[in-house]
Amino acid sequence: MKHIRNITALTAAIIGLFTLTFGLGGCSSQTASAAGTEKKPAVCFVIANTANSQGINFNSPLIQDTVKDCAENYGSVSVISADGSSQFLGTEDMDIDEKYKHASKEKLASDAAAKANSLVAYMQTVVADDSELDLYDALSLASRTMASLEGYSSKTIIVLSTGLSTAGDYVNFHNNLISADPAAVADLLEEKEAIPDFSGVTVYWQGLGDVAAPQEDLTPAQRNRLEAI
């Protein structure tokens, strides 16, 4: 069993910039709280901060807006570090005690922003433990993480990676997979019952195919096949 660490504890120990205790304030807009909205998103970030990539832009709207939305709507954010042996780093539950949900709109917005900024700052410290990448294993772990969560209005996986796995038995681009027919790859995985279950989950990808030297740039055809796979 992989070692599971608590994101809040790691944030306090590694970053030391923010306090994530829920007693400091709310993390939802007062309008949403008053309306009794059922919106409560669950998001899992798969972070493949590996070599030969252009690096992860943590200032992108996809990351910033998603984390902010979770902070404002009592959601949760899970984090997986993807490398040759991916690790589930934990889940940050952004719900708060009911008594804090009636603070002023300004206080709620300020606390949500602080919590979102803290979590993004934590994600920036996540680095791969080795030079290989088994993204299939990381995605399988992400799908199981989403399946284990209940009571959320939506489930999203956000993959931050070039997508070029270099380890594992199923999707390994060291084996010239980039030249393979994507449909044939999918058929083979389906035959082996090796396709992760993403039922009810929306998957977004940032950085797909965005490699850096010494990795050679992908051709347009290679990018298309990578995306299709």
Side-chain angles (χ1 to χ4, degrees):
M1 179 179 294
K2 297 183 184 300
H3 177 62
I4 298 177
R5 290 170 284 178
N6 181 274
I7 289 179
T8 303
L10 282 175
T11 304
I14 298 175
I15 304 173
L17 297 178
F18 301 94
T19 301
L20 294 184
T21 52
F22 297 138
L24 290 181
C27 56
S28 174
S29 69
Q30 190 172 29
T31 300
S33 177
T37 179
E38 295 182 0
K39 181 178 182 182
K40 188 177 181 181
V43 180
C44 179
F45 283 91
V46 176
I47 302 175
N49 199 355
T50 54
N52 300 338
S53 68
Q54 294 182 11
I56 299 172
N57 177 17
F58 286 97
N59 291 319
S60 70
L62 177 62
I63 297 175
Q64 293 285 334
D65 293 349
T66 299
V67 176
K68 182 173 181 286
D69 183 58
C70 284
E72 291 177 341
N73 290 284
Y74 312 141
S76 73
V77 176
S78 301
V79 176
I80 290 172
S81 177
D83 52 26
S85 180
S86 299
Q87 294 185 2
F88 171 66
L89 301 183
T91 296
E92 178 71 11
D93 184 354
M94 293 187 167
D95 203 355
I96 60 172
D97 191 283
E98 184 65 30
K99 64 183 178 181
Y100 297 115
K101 295 179 181 179
H102 304 287
S104 68
K105 181 178 180 180
E106 292 74 19
K107 174 63 174 173
L108 292 172
S110 175
D111 289 342
K115 182 170 287 189
N117 290 337
S118 177
L119 192 49
V120 172
Y122 165 74
M123 291 195 294
Q124 290 178 295
T125 71
V126 176
V127 295
D129 289 335
D130 59 64
S131 59
E132 302 298 334
L133 174 61
D134 185 351
L135 199 53
Y136 174 87
D137 179 59
L139 288 170
S140 298
L141 181 55
S143 72
R144 294 195 301 272
T145 298
M146 289 289 95
S148 69
L149 298 177
E150 298 181 355
Y152 291 90
S153 60
S154 64
K155 295 182 178 182
T156 303
I157 294 174
I158 297 180
V159 188
L160 308 176
S161 171
T162 64
L164 294 171
S165 289
T166 58
D169 298 327
Y170 294 111
V171 185
N172 188 334
F173 286 90
H174 272 326
N175 301 327
N176 201 31
L177 194 65
I178 197 68
S179 299
D181 174 24
V185 174
D187 289 343
L188 181 60
L189 291 174
E190 186 173 15
E191 180 181 321
K192 294 182 177 181
E193 298 183 349
I195 297 181
D197 183 8
F198 295 109
S199 300
V201 178
T202 301
V203 180
Y204 295 100
W205 207 296
Q206 177 177 304
L208 186 67
D210 293 341
V211 299
Q215 170 75 43
E216 293 184 3
D217 290 341
L218 300 181
T219 66
Q222 288 174 328
R223 275 184 172 270
N224 288 339
R225 284 195 293 271
L226 175 63
E227 181 177 355
I229 291 171

Coordinates of all heavy atoms in Angstrom, one line a residue, residues 2 27-28 35 67 78 175 179:
K2 N 0.5 2.2 -0.8 CA 1.3 3.4 -0.9 C 1.1 4.3 0.3 O 0.1 4.3 0.9 CB 1.0 4.2 -2.2 CG 1.2 3.5 -3.5 CD 0.9 4.3 -4.6 CE 1.1 3.6 -5.9 NZ 2.4 3.1 -6.1
C27 N -15.3 29.2 3.1 CA -14.7 29.0 1.8 C -15.8 28.9 0.7 O -15.7 28.1 -0.2 CB -13.8 27.8 1.7 SG -14.5 26.3 2.3
S28 N -16.9 29.6 0.9 CA -18.0 29.6 -0.1 C -18.6 31.0 -0.1 O -18.6 31.7 0.9 CB -19.0 28.6 0.3 OG -20.1 28.7 -0.6
A35 N -28.4 30.4 -0.6 CA -29.3 29.7 -1.5 C -29.3 28.2 -1.3 O -30.1 27.5 -1.9 CB -28.8 30.0 -3.0
V67 N -9.3 25.4 -8.6 CA -9.1 25.4 -7.2 C -9.9 26.4 -6.4 O -10.5 26.2 -5.4 CB -7.6 25.6 -6.9 CG1 -7.3 25.6 -5.3 CG2 -6.7 24.4 -7.5
S78 N -7.9 16.6 -4.5 CA -6.9 15.5 -4.2 C -5.7 15.7 -5.1 O -5.8 16.3 -6.2 CB -7.5 14.1 -4.6 OG -8.7 13.9 -3.8
N175 N 8.3 2.1 -26.2 CA 8.1 1.0 -27.2 C 7.6 1.4 -28.5 O 6.8 0.7 -29.2 CB 7.1 0.0 -26.5 CG 7.7 -0.6 -25.2 OD1 8.9 -0.8 -25.1 ND2 6.8 -0.9 -24.3
S179 N 3.9 5.7 -32.6 CA 3.7 5.4 -34.0 C 2.5 4.4 -34.2 O 2.2 4.1 -35.4 CB 4.9 4.8 -34.7 OG 6.0 5.8 -34.7

